[in-house]
Amino acid sequence: MPHPMSHAPQRQLDEAEFVDRARARLNEIYGPRADEVLRRLQRLVAHQRGAIPERPRPLWSERDQLLITYGDLLLDGEHPPLQVLDEFLETRLADTFSGVHVLPFFPWSSDDGFSVIHYREVNPALGDWDDIRRLARHGDLMVDLVINHVSRESLWFVDYLAGTQPGRDYFIEMDPATDLSQVTRPRNSPLLVPVSTRRGTRYLWATFSEDQIDLNFANPDVLIEFIGIMLYYVAQGARIIRLDAIAYLWKQVGTACIHLPETHAVVRLLRAVLDHLAPGTLLITETNVPHRENMSYFGLERLATASPDATAQPDEAHMIYQFTLPPLLVHTLTSGDATALEAWARSLPSLPPGCTYFNFTASHDGIGVRALEGLLPPHEIEAMLELMHRFGGYVSMKADADGKDSPYEVNITYFDALRGTRRGADPWQVERFLCSQHLMLALQGIPGIYFHCLTATLNDHEGVERSGQLRTINRRRWQKEELDELLDSRNTPTREVFLALRRRLKLRAQEPCFHPQAAQRIVTTPPTLFAVQRGPLDDGRRLLAIYNVTDKRQPLEVAELDEGSWYDLLADAPWDASAPRELRPYRSLWLVQRPGAD
């Protein structure tokens, strides 16, 4: 049947449109210097034009679902890890994912890749650019633009220490007596790092760690440099550019130094460059902050207030990470109560074409808890944190303006986070975990599955002891032989979870109601259930996804089930409306109505 959603390629900005948008954004960032910076940007774009292949295509479809992984998460001791990953995708996950997010694969000095030494090189311990390009040929490749900070082992930092160009003016010097108490902190480490230079001791801004020195985007040289780096990644095959820690990009003393107007202007400028040179390339912002702040990176509120033109299109991020979902799902499935999840999902606005969510439950980082602010009362958040500690996890802290520390994220594998309920561990871990993944897959947006979700990985406490870093608990490196044995042996959680997720992902990719633009409506149910409708599409097709979020059988008290006949996608058979209406613990239904199919 014809697809009900648009398959038109992303519209390309012509030269005049691009110049107008770029000039407007540069005015917001640099004021009187805008024309000078624009001329430099135009030269860069003209130089890169021939290196960017034309790949006009629709932004997305229901087939879009990404694997999130490190380049060396899978090792065999013989081949470059990127080649081992490629072989695993071909043999174990063929036709399962539309693409892969390879976390920073550049030479790095700390934070498992997010302290970049060389932006245009591949870490030789992983492979080379040919290996990256091979992954890109198989599907969409997401690449990190680690834009806020750089390793102190980088050549730019060496330049800074020596007082030579270009790095001399790439960093933010600050008098340590400056009042920076208003600055929002994602860590509890010192904000200013003392550095010995030829000019004596200087104090540099370092939001995340003493090895990750923030870059000075008030210097246009830095912006031009990073636009060139972004376009280099696109030329190597990247289709999705992830803006790491983008919220902290611009600094202005006397403010919180997060989500500043100049930061949003930089994101919109990067979007304009991509829409002009590489239409169809997606921009995604990574901002682990409360939900409303996260939503600002679509630019919808600004668009609504600044433009009376109802046809104006969003021009900031195509996608934002749905940071609220991971902790809210843990709360739901460990409490057996979907009330908060339903209320939050019901509050999500309808998104215009060109905007969608990146849904995930786990990533290389921990399970952020800031996104729960205003959604759960403090005692519920505290109860969840205490439970995660009982299940073997840790809690990382951030520094607050009052000088105290507060929880920032839980460090635990998602599989172990769902080891039990508030009553303790129980035999339902696999079913509970799969429920979390299956529920995420039905929500509006594009899903991302972290490799360790596919493999039901347990907490890596030994790794934490070796590294001294709490996040290592969820960053285990698999020996391929060991993983193959677990996948090929019967009755292992790894095999059960892997096969179940692979089957559900393949099924999802064939269902048009899961197109990111298909409407979403939260269905009223008792708190023991969660239900969402996707669609109806233009042809009337709609999908009803229902989940039991408890460890007890629950009656299917869902009024929509009486609205005509349904087809059970999971059973590949008509749904028997006359059978007892109940759902086993942590089980789900994906039911479709196909008008005219009868």
Side-chain angles (χ1 to χ4, degrees), residues 460-485:
D460 185 6
H461 291 290
E462 292 182 4
V464 173
E465 291 181 9
R466 287 194 304 271
S467 70
Q469 302 296 319
L470 298 183
R471 285 179 167 176
T472 307
I473 197 170
N474 193 29
R475 297 179 177 180
R476 175 180 177 173
R477 267 57 178 176
W478 281 107
Q479 292 297 321
K480 186 174 182 296
E481 183 179 5
E482 178 189 4
L483 181 57
D484 283 339
E485 184 176 348

Short mmCIF file of all heavy atoms in Angstrom, two decimals, residues 460-485:
data_model
loop_
_atom_site.label_atom_id
_atom_site.label_comp_id
_atom_site.label_asym_id
_atom_site.label_seq_id
_atom_site.Cartn_x
_atom_site.Cartn_y
_atom_site.Cartn_z
N ASP A 460 29.37 -3.70 35.92
CA ASP A 460 30.79 -4.01 35.82
C ASP A 460 31.53 -3.35 36.99
O ASP A 460 32.20 -2.32 36.83
CB ASP A 460 31.34 -3.53 34.48
CG ASP A 460 32.79 -3.93 34.25
OD1 ASP A 460 33.33 -4.69 35.08
OD2 ASP A 460 33.38 -3.47 33.26
N HIS A 461 31.41 -3.93 38.17
CA HIS A 461 32.07 -3.36 39.35
C HIS A 461 33.59 -3.46 39.26
O HIS A 461 34.30 -2.56 39.74
CB HIS A 461 31.57 -4.06 40.62
CG HIS A 461 30.13 -3.75 40.95
ND1 HIS A 461 29.73 -2.52 41.40
CD2 HIS A 461 29.01 -4.52 40.89
CE1 HIS A 461 28.42 -2.54 41.62
NE2 HIS A 461 27.96 -3.74 41.31
N GLU A 462 34.09 -4.52 38.62
CA GLU A 462 35.54 -4.64 38.46
C GLU A 462 36.08 -3.51 37.59
O GLU A 462 37.15 -2.98 37.85
CB GLU A 462 35.88 -6.00 37.84
CG GLU A 462 35.62 -7.18 38.77
CD GLU A 462 36.02 -8.50 38.13
OE1 GLU A 462 36.58 -8.47 37.01
OE2 GLU A 462 35.79 -9.55 38.76
N GLY A 463 35.32 -3.14 36.57
CA GLY A 463 35.73 -2.04 35.72
C GLY A 463 35.80 -0.73 36.48
O GLY A 463 36.70 0.09 36.27
N VAL A 464 34.85 -0.52 37.37
CA VAL A 464 34.85 0.69 38.19
C VAL A 464 36.10 0.74 39.07
O VAL A 464 36.75 1.77 39.21
CB VAL A 464 33.57 0.78 39.06
CG1 VAL A 464 33.66 1.95 40.03
CG2 VAL A 464 32.34 0.92 38.17
N GLU A 465 36.45 -0.41 39.65
CA GLU A 465 37.64 -0.46 40.50
C GLU A 465 38.91 -0.17 39.69
O GLU A 465 39.82 0.51 40.17
CB GLU A 465 37.74 -1.84 41.16
CG GLU A 465 36.65 -2.10 42.20
CD GLU A 465 36.79 -3.46 42.84
OE1 GLU A 465 37.82 -4.13 42.60
OE2 GLU A 465 35.87 -3.87 43.58
N ARG A 466 38.96 -0.68 38.46
CA ARG A 466 40.15 -0.46 37.63
C ARG A 466 40.27 1.00 37.22
O ARG A 466 41.36 1.57 37.23
CB ARG A 466 40.10 -1.34 36.38
CG ARG A 466 40.36 -2.81 36.62
CD ARG A 466 40.64 -3.52 35.30
NE ARG A 466 39.56 -3.34 34.35
CZ ARG A 466 38.51 -4.14 34.24
NH1 ARG A 466 38.40 -5.19 35.04
NH2 ARG A 466 37.57 -3.92 33.33
N SER A 467 39.17 1.60 36.81
CA SER A 467 39.21 2.94 36.24
C SER A 467 39.07 4.05 37.27
O SER A 467 39.51 5.18 37.04
CB SER A 467 38.09 3.10 35.19
OG SER A 467 36.82 3.13 35.83
N GLY A 468 38.41 3.72 38.39
CA GLY A 468 38.11 4.77 39.36
C GLY A 468 36.98 5.67 38.93
O GLY A 468 36.70 6.69 39.58
N GLN A 469 36.29 5.33 37.84
CA GLN A 469 35.19 6.14 37.30
C GLN A 469 33.88 5.38 37.44
O GLN A 469 33.77 4.23 37.01
CB GLN A 469 35.43 6.46 35.82
CG GLN A 469 36.74 7.18 35.55
CD GLN A 469 36.78 8.56 36.19
OE1 GLN A 469 35.80 9.30 36.17
NE2 GLN A 469 37.92 8.91 36.77
N LEU A 470 32.86 6.04 38.03
CA LEU A 470 31.59 5.37 38.27
C LEU A 470 30.89 4.96 36.98
O LEU A 470 30.22 3.93 36.93
CB LEU A 470 30.67 6.27 39.10
CG LEU A 470 31.17 6.63 40.51
CD1 LEU A 470 30.13 7.47 41.23
CD2 LEU A 470 31.52 5.39 41.32
N ARG A 471 31.05 5.74 35.93
CA ARG A 471 30.36 5.44 34.67
C ARG A 471 30.86 4.15 34.02
O ARG A 471 30.17 3.58 33.15
CB ARG A 471 30.49 6.61 33.69
CG ARG A 471 29.59 7.79 34.04
CD ARG A 471 29.78 8.93 33.08
NE ARG A 471 28.73 9.93 33.22
CZ ARG A 471 28.70 11.07 32.53
NH1 ARG A 471 29.68 11.35 31.67
NH2 ARG A 471 27.71 11.93 32.71
N THR A 472 32.03 3.69 34.41
CA THR A 472 32.56 2.46 33.84
C THR A 472 31.65 1.27 34.14
O THR A 472 31.72 0.25 33.44
CB THR A 472 33.98 2.19 34.39
OG1 THR A 472 34.79 3.35 34.17
CG2 THR A 472 34.64 1.01 33.70
N ILE A 473 30.79 1.38 35.13
CA ILE A 473 29.89 0.28 35.49
C ILE A 473 29.02 -0.14 34.31
O ILE A 473 28.58 -1.29 34.22
CB ILE A 473 29.00 0.70 36.69
CG1 ILE A 473 28.36 -0.53 37.35
CG2 ILE A 473 27.94 1.71 36.28
CD1 ILE A 473 27.68 -0.21 38.68
N ASN A 474 28.81 0.78 33.36
CA ASN A 474 27.94 0.52 32.22
C ASN A 474 28.70 0.62 30.90
O ASN A 474 28.11 0.91 29.86
CB ASN A 474 26.77 1.53 32.24
CG ASN A 474 25.65 1.17 31.28
OD1 ASN A 474 25.43 0.00 31.00
ND2 ASN A 474 24.96 2.17 30.78
N ARG A 475 30.02 0.40 30.95
CA ARG A 475 30.84 0.54 29.74
C ARG A 475 31.74 -0.68 29.53
O ARG A 475 32.88 -0.57 29.06
CB ARG A 475 31.70 1.81 29.82
CG ARG A 475 30.88 3.10 29.88
CD ARG A 475 31.76 4.33 29.99
NE ARG A 475 30.97 5.56 29.98
CZ ARG A 475 31.50 6.78 30.06
NH1 ARG A 475 32.81 6.94 30.15
NH2 ARG A 475 30.71 7.84 30.05
N ARG A 476 31.24 -1.83 29.88
CA ARG A 476 32.03 -3.05 29.75
C ARG A 476 32.46 -3.29 28.30
O ARG A 476 31.69 -3.03 27.36
CB ARG A 476 31.21 -4.25 30.22
CG ARG A 476 31.89 -5.57 30.01
CD ARG A 476 31.08 -6.74 30.49
NE ARG A 476 31.75 -7.99 30.20
CZ ARG A 476 31.34 -9.18 30.61
NH1 ARG A 476 30.24 -9.27 31.36
NH2 ARG A 476 31.98 -10.27 30.30
N ARG A 477 33.67 -3.77 28.12
CA ARG A 477 34.14 -4.22 26.80
C ARG A 477 33.96 -5.73 26.75
O ARG A 477 34.53 -6.45 27.56
CB ARG A 477 35.61 -3.85 26.61
CG ARG A 477 35.87 -2.52 25.90
CD ARG A 477 35.25 -1.35 26.55
NE ARG A 477 35.57 -0.09 25.87
CZ ARG A 477 35.08 1.08 26.22
NH1 ARG A 477 34.24 1.18 27.24
NH2 ARG A 477 35.39 2.18 25.56
N TRP A 478 33.19 -6.20 25.76
CA TRP A 478 32.95 -7.64 25.60
C TRP A 478 34.08 -8.28 24.79
O TRP A 478 34.49 -7.75 23.75
CB TRP A 478 31.66 -7.88 24.83
CG TRP A 478 30.38 -7.77 25.60
CD1 TRP A 478 29.46 -6.76 25.53
CD2 TRP A 478 29.85 -8.73 26.53
NE1 TRP A 478 28.39 -7.02 26.37
CE2 TRP A 478 28.62 -8.22 27.00
CE3 TRP A 478 30.32 -9.96 27.02
CZ2 TRP A 478 27.83 -8.91 27.92
CZ3 TRP A 478 29.55 -10.64 27.94
CH2 TRP A 478 28.32 -10.12 28.38
N GLN A 479 34.55 -9.40 25.25
CA GLN A 479 35.34 -10.27 24.38
C GLN A 479 34.35 -11.02 23.49
O GLN A 479 33.42 -11.64 23.98
CB GLN A 479 36.17 -11.26 25.21
CG GLN A 479 37.28 -10.60 26.02
CD GLN A 479 38.32 -9.92 25.13
OE1 GLN A 479 38.69 -10.43 24.05
NE2 GLN A 479 38.80 -8.75 25.56
N LYS A 480 34.56 -10.93 22.19
CA LYS A 480 33.57 -11.48 21.26
C LYS A 480 33.32 -12.96 21.51
O LYS A 480 32.18 -13.44 21.41
CB LYS A 480 34.01 -11.25 19.82
CG LYS A 480 32.96 -11.66 18.79
CD LYS A 480 33.37 -11.28 17.39
CE LYS A 480 32.28 -11.65 16.38
NZ LYS A 480 32.05 -13.10 16.32
N GLU A 481 34.36 -13.72 21.82
CA GLU A 481 34.20 -15.15 22.05
C GLU A 481 33.26 -15.41 23.23
O GLU A 481 32.39 -16.29 23.17
CB GLU A 481 35.56 -15.79 22.32
CG GLU A 481 35.50 -17.30 22.51
CD GLU A 481 36.87 -17.91 22.74
OE1 GLU A 481 37.86 -17.15 22.84
OE2 GLU A 481 36.97 -19.15 22.82
N GLU A 482 33.41 -14.61 24.29
CA GLU A 482 32.54 -14.77 25.46
C GLU A 482 31.10 -14.41 25.12
O GLU A 482 30.15 -15.11 25.49
CB GLU A 482 33.03 -13.89 26.61
CG GLU A 482 32.15 -13.95 27.84
CD GLU A 482 32.54 -12.91 28.89
OE1 GLU A 482 33.46 -12.09 28.63
OE2 GLU A 482 31.90 -12.90 29.97
N LEU A 483 30.93 -13.30 24.38
CA LEU A 483 29.57 -12.89 24.02
C LEU A 483 28.94 -13.90 23.08
O LEU A 483 27.74 -14.24 23.23
CB LEU A 483 29.60 -11.50 23.38
CG LEU A 483 28.24 -10.93 22.98
CD1 LEU A 483 27.29 -10.86 24.16
CD2 LEU A 483 28.40 -9.55 22.34
N ASP A 484 29.69 -14.40 22.11
CA ASP A 484 29.15 -15.42 21.21
C ASP A 484 28.66 -16.64 21.98
O ASP A 484 27.60 -17.21 21.67
CB ASP A 484 30.21 -15.84 20.19
CG ASP A 484 30.40 -14.83 19.07
OD1 ASP A 484 29.48 -14.02 18.85
OD2 ASP A 484 31.47 -14.86 18.43
N GLU A 485 29.41 -17.03 22.99
CA GLU A 485 29.02 -18.20 23.78
C GLU A 485 27.70 -17.95 24.51
O GLU A 485 26.83 -18.82 24.55
CB GLU A 485 30.12 -18.56 24.77
CG GLU A 485 29.83 -19.82 25.58
CD GLU A 485 30.97 -20.21 26.50
OE1 GLU A 485 32.07 -19.64 26.35
OE2 GLU A 485 30.76 -21.07 27.38
#
